[in-house]
Amino acid sequence: MPLEVKPRFVVLYGSQKGQAQSIAEGIAEEAEEHGLVAELCCLNQDDKYNLEKECAPVVFVVSTTGDGEPPDNALQFVKRIKKRTLSPDHYKHLLYALLALGDTNYANFCNCGKTIERRLRELGARQFYPTGYADDGVGLELVIDPWLKGLWNSIKDALTKMASDRTVQLKEDSAKEIPESSLPDVQLNLLSIADKQICEPDSKYSPSLAISDVRPPPASTVYTSAPNTQACSEGIPQVSLAASLTSSVPPLSESSLNVPALPPAYLDVTLQEADAAEQAAERLSKEARYEVPISKAVQLSKGDSVKTALLLELDISAFPSMTYHPGDSFDVFCPNVAEEVDHLLHRLGLQDQKNHRVQISLKDNTKKKGAQVPPHIPENVSLLFLLTWCLEIRSVPKKAFLRALVEHTSDSAQRRRLQELCSKQGAADYNLYVRDASLGVSELLAAFPSCSPPLSLLIELLPKLQPRPYSAACSLLRHPEKLRFVFNVVEFPACSGRPTARRGLCTGWLFDLVSPGLVFPEKAELALPKIHVSLRPNCSFRPPSDPSLPFIMIGPGTGVAPFIGFLQQREEERKENPEAKFGETWLFFGCRYRDKDYLFREELENFVSSGTLNHLKVCFSREDRKDEEEPPSAAQPRYVQHNLLLCCRQVTDILLRRNGYIYVCGDAKNMAKDVNETLMEMIKTELQVDQLEAMKTLAGLREQKRYLQDIWA
């Protein structure tokens, strides 16, 4: 009896932190249940796939990083397909579907996915299933779950139509040119979350799915145990439901659940004793990084400022090749908190084996597609090293992780609650009690004491401990062999599931490293420690290459950091070339209080005095105002966007008539959005156009790399 050959399709992913990769792997694993075979590849594995000759449907899963940039492992693919030498019919044979991951807290939402889709269509590729745009700002699963549900029928329909067309073609004269109509005419309305299709602004003909299209699921299928607050006659809120991380209430507690498939185990992990020589030989990894000493630490904020702002200076004199430009950023490699690692070791029952070597290998006959030993874990490291430097133990557990924990939980009530949290019906509870609360693994295990997961599960499902990026806050022309950066010490308050407050992982660690020098700055014998860093040049967030062009900088709080480098560079260039023509410079800065957190005040005022900075616009959001409900006046603007409005004519003139640049650095969730909306209003007013035209004008500035952002959530 002949062996049945299952239809095949290709899954390609580009992933920075592992989320897109995990989704792609899930698609590949589920394919077998649908009678299909999936070939899984990372976009940088171009020796394993060939889109130029691919005759099967292709599914792309891609995330976006930085200021709309492709993930590192998708960068070369994007560059390759953007080559203008490719003909318009280069991919006319290709059928594709695409799932893009992004975050609407950032301006260039899903930009990598949109770039790939736009270019594929320009090269003749055809879409067989609507694109999904998943938003991490509100919950990726709101788009991912229905998108995946509808994917399988679309793949099968595409494969059936392709097979039918090939059969017809075989009967025709092989010398005939294949007409374009022979391509599968697959309907693009198979997935309709809101009974409609939308088009992305830059994908004129592509139906797509986005968060705005998702209607709230029917009450009969999605439940919440979130506290239901009602106001009593006195107007005081009353909580009528006693739900929490560990317990639910009807209807969720009584409903049938749709839980995700159990992630297949794929690693064998053993612990072996090690001698002292092995323990001393541990290294972070093979990544290109520099170990540099901290040469200076200064607290910039004063008194009882709400946030503690620090400036650190690194001595990079030992590494002549370590050069950077104003606007560039770099990564700081930080460890997990020692107390949190110790607590996790105790919780796993492995405290006595913390110095044992971790041996990791692939399970025989694992069902996981593309299984490999995590490349971010060096060989032969201790368990303590692995949990300290390799795994992001504070990362918010994904639903797949919760699903895996169910299998290692003995208490039936706790098992049920974990099933609820990872189920479709419990999505609201997951968001409220896990995702929005930013709970980590230790906090989750503390909440479910009967859960005892194996070490292998953590290694399989926890992401790599990512370095934290910071912007250079100086110029090498002003500070040779030095690298400065500025940060606020991040504070996370206590919440349900986390009884005590905590500090940001990297900012808290850096603060602890330098705090002796902050307390006793006069004691030179207090040598500051070394840290590991690596450069990540940003080739676009830099001052204009033509110094005669004007530019505007918007950076409240620590967002001013890269602009200190901009202005130091400009001041040194003016000294070197006093006869040269330099463009006008503007800085919009904001903070809470004039006397507490006006960062770099003296240096900024010196820039104005020297003529390096032509316009300094500062506002203070918490300075006393007689009526807090009263909107900011011209004499007392509260936020940077208010000052922008006051300078509407000058700003729009620079951007629209003088070929100038605008740079925004700081908070993505509020400030960057408000600034973007303000710029649109200014353009509408100045050009007398509608909202759509204003959006197109701003988009044009982005395309020309004259509207640039360095923002973070």
Side-chain angles (χ1 to χ4, degrees):
M1 185 174 180
L3 181 66
E4 181 183 357
V5 178
K6 294 180 179 179
R8 62 177 281 276
F9 69 102
V10 178
V11 183
L12 302 176
Y13 67 85
S15 183
Q16 189 70 20
K17 296 184 178 181
Q19 182 77 335
Q21 178 180 349
S22 177
I23 294 168
E25 290 172 347
I27 293 172
E29 289 159 11
E30 192 177 342
E32 190 171 343
E33 299 175 18
H34 297 274
L36 304 171
V37 173
E39 295 181 6
L40 176 70
C41 298
C42 180
L43 283 169
N44 65 358
Q45 297 175 311
D46 51 359
D47 58 327
K48 296 185 178 181
Y49 68 91
N50 186 353
L51 293 186
E52 277 67 22
K53 297 182 179 180
E54 186 54 66
C55 58
V58 180
V59 177
F60 293 87
V61 184
V62 293
S63 62
T64 295
T65 188
D67 186 23
E69 300 300 319
D72 292 342
N73 56 19
L75 187 59
Q76 292 305 315
F77 172 80
V78 172
K79 288 182 178 179
R80 198 160 61 244
I81 65 173
K82 289 175 76 173
K83 290 180 179 178
R84 291 298 161 185
T85 55
L86 299 178
S87 66
D89 61 352
H90 187 76
Y91 285 138
K92 70 177 183 180
H93 60 283
L94 193 66
L95 282 177
Y96 76 92
L98 189 143
L99 175 63
L101 313 186
D103 189 332
T104 47
N105 286 318
Y106 296 86
N108 291 322
F109 174 62
C110 286
N111 191 60
C112 177
K114 293 177 182 178
T115 299
I116 290 175
E117 177 172 35
R118 181 171 62 247
R119 192 62 183 137
L120 288 177
R121 294 183 70 84
E122 289 174 351
L123 296 174
R126 297 185 64 188
Q127 187 185 50
F128 71 85
Y129 183 57
T131 296
Y133 295 103
D135 181 9
D136 199 30
V138 297
L140 293 170
E141 69 278 358
L142 290 178
V143 162
I144 291 175
D145 289 351
W147 191 89
L148 292 176
K149 184 178 180 181
L151 174 66
W152 301 106
N153 283 338
S154 292
I155 291 177
K156 292 175 183 177
D157 288 346
L159 286 165
T160 300
K161 190 69 167 69
M162 293 171 79
S164 174
D165 288 343
R166 280 195 294 268
T167 301
V168 172
Q169 291 166 20
L170 287 174
K171 296 178 180 179
E172 296 177 350
D173 185 356
S174 60
K176 285 185 177 180
E177 181 180 344
I178 300 173
E180 186 177 343
S181 60
S182 67
L183 286 170
D185 184 18
V186 182
Q187 294 297 315
L188 293 181
N189 59 356
L190 296 172
L191 178 58
S192 181
I193 291 182
D195 298 326
K196 65 177 182 178
Q197 296 175 345
I198 68 166
C199 293
E200 285 295 314
D202 62 348
S203 185
K204 189 174 180 181
Y205 304 105
S206 296
S208 57
L209 294 174
I211 283 297
S212 59
D213 299 309
V214 181
R215 291 177 178 172
S220 60
T221 57
V222 179
Y223 304 117
T224 178
S225 293
N228 180 19
T229 58
Q230 298 178 343
C232 64
S233 57
E234 291 80 11
I236 302 173
Q238 292 181 329
V239 178
S240 59
L241 296 177
S244 68
L245 171 65
T246 56
S247 62
S248 63
V249 295
L252 178 58
S253 61
E254 298 173 351
S255 67
S256 298
L257 302 175
N258 299 107
V259 299
L262 180 67
Y266 65 96
L267 294 179
D268 280 326
V269 178
T270 58
L271 299 175
Q272 298 180 355
E273 290 190 52
D275 55 34
E278 286 180 313
Q279 293 180 28
E282 291 181 326
R283 294 290 182 270
L284 277 177
S285 78
K286 298 178 181 178
E287 293 181 50
R289 61 181 78 183
Y290 306 91
E291 186 178 21
V292 295
I294 299 173
S295 53
K296 181 188 290 186
V298 179
Q299 181 167 330
L300 300 178
S301 53
K302 300 174 183 177
D304 58 348
S305 176
V306 174
K307 296 181 179 180
T308 301
L310 301 182
L311 178 145
L312 299 192
E313 180 183 84
L314 307 179
D315 182 354
I316 60 174
S317 58
F319 303 99
S321 62
M322 193 177 174
T323 60
Y324 62 92
H325 299 273
D328 285 353
S329 57
F330 64 98
D331 286 329
V332 173
F333 295 83
C334 64
N336 287 309
V337 177
E339 293 79 6
E340 295 175 15
V341 172
D342 189 62
H343 178 271
L344 185 57
L345 285 167
H346 275 96
R347 183 65 179 77
L348 296 173
L350 297 173
Q351 177 65 23
D352 294 339
Q353 302 176 66
K354 65 181 181 181
N355 292 319
H356 284 37
R357 303 289 102 181
V358 182
Q359 305 294 324
I360 306 175
S361 59
L362 290 179
K363 281 183 174 294
D364 293 334
N365 302 319
T366 179
K367 294 182 179 180
K368 182 176 176 63
K369 293 284 186 179
Q372 61 176 332
V373 175
H376 54 271
I377 300 179
E379 294 182 3
N380 206 35
V381 295
S382 70
L383 175 57
L384 179 62
F385 184 91
L386 182 146
L387 294 179
T388 301
W389 290 100
C390 302
L391 301 180
E392 188 93 54
I393 65 174
R394 276 195 184 181
S395 65
V396 176
K398 306 298 182 186
K399 289 186 177 182
F401 188 91
L402 299 182
R403 175 65 184 88
L405 290 183
V406 171
E407 305 304 306
H408 305 281
T409 304
S410 57
D411 181 85
S412 59
Q414 293 177 25
R415 283 174 60 91
R416 165 71 191 193
R417 184 54 175 158
L418 286 170
Q419 289 173 330
E420 289 172 351
L421 291 171
C422 71
S423 71
K424 178 180 179 181
Q425 291 76 12
D429 276 26
Y430 171 80
N431 287 338
L432 179 63
Y433 298 116
V434 180
R435 180 179 175 274
D436 295 346
S438 296
L439 297 189
V441 176
S442 293
E443 292 149 345
L444 198 68
L445 293 179
F448 297 92
S450 76
C451 181
S452 300
L455 176 62
S456 59
L457 189 149
L458 272 64
I459 298 175
E460 289 172 349
L461 297 178
L462 287 183
K464 172 187 176 182
L465 177 56
Q466 295 286 343
R468 272 49 176 178
Y470 294 92
S471 298
C474 62
S475 164
L476 282 171
L477 293 182
R478 174 68 60 85
H479 299 284
E481 301 182 334
K482 303 294 182 185
L483 173 59
R484 291 182 169 188
F485 64 105
V486 179
F487 61 90
N488 286 323
V489 180
V490 179
E491 302 283 350
F492 294 99
C495 65
S496 173
R498 184 172 58 245
T500 58
R502 72 183 186 198
R503 292 184 304 204
L505 184 63
C506 192
T507 61
W509 174 66
L510 290 170
F511 179 80
D512 289 340
L513 285 180
V514 303
S515 56
L518 296 173
V519 177
F520 305 105
E522 70 282 355
K523 293 191 176 182
E525 69 271 13
L526 288 173
L528 293 173
K530 294 182 177 182
I531 62 174
H532 289 87
V533 302
S534 68
L535 292 178
R536 40 186 293 168
N538 184 330
C539 296
S540 60
F541 198 86
R542 292 178 179 174
S545 56
D546 181 352
S548 68
L549 294 175
F551 62 91
I552 300 162
M553 301 163 284
I554 304 172
T558 56
V560 75
F563 304 134
I564 297 299
F566 279 33
L567 293 168
Q568 288 179 356
Q569 183 96 347
R570 171 58 61 90
E571 191 159 72
E572 296 302 315
E573 289 172 345
R574 292 176 78 235
K575 291 177 182 177
E576 293 177 1
N577 302 285
E579 303 302 320
K581 180 183 177 182
F582 291 94
E584 190 179 352
T585 54
W586 291 67
L587 174 63
F588 292 85
F589 175 76
C591 59
R592 286 177 170 80
Y593 299 99
R594 187 188 311 269
D595 299 325
K596 294 180 181 180
D597 51 3
Y598 188 167
L599 309 183
F600 298 102
R601 178 176 183 175
E602 183 177 346
E603 189 164 3
L604 290 174
E605 291 175 347
N606 287 338
F607 286 139
V608 174
S609 299
S610 70
T612 301
L613 178 59
N614 302 111
H615 304 276
L616 174 61
K617 303 296 180 180
V618 185
C619 54
F620 308 100
S621 62
R622 301 295 188 271
E623 295 279 84
D624 290 337
R625 187 179 283 112
K626 292 180 181 180
D627 184 0
E628 286 296 317
E629 298 301 320
E630 181 184 345
S633 64
Q636 198 175 34
R638 178 177 287 185
Y639 299 114
V640 287
Q641 63 266 27
H642 301 144
N643 262 332
L644 269 177
L645 279 173
L646 295 177
C647 303
C648 177
R649 181 62 59 86
Q650 299 97 314
V651 169
T652 53
D653 183 61
I654 287 173
L655 296 179
L656 305 179
R657 300 180 183 88
R658 298 168 58 191
N659 208 33
Y661 287 65
I662 186 166
Y663 303 84
V664 181
C665 183
D667 167 49
K669 192 170 185 179
N670 298 306
M671 182 277 297
K673 283 186 176 180
D674 291 341
V675 166
N676 191 74
E677 291 174 3
T678 300
L679 289 172
M680 277 200 293
E681 289 301 316
M682 293 163 62
I683 291 171
K684 284 169 60 179
T685 301
E686 184 63 23
L687 298 183
Q688 294 294 298
V689 296
D690 61 17
Q691 182 86 355
L692 181 58
E693 286 301 315
M695 290 174 64
K696 289 180 179 178
T697 301
L698 270 185
L701 292 175
R702 290 185 189 277
E703 284 289 322
Q704 298 167 40
K705 299 295 184 182
R706 293 198 293 119
Y707 177 17
L708 297 161
Q709 294 179 313
D710 180 4
I711 56 179
W712 56 86

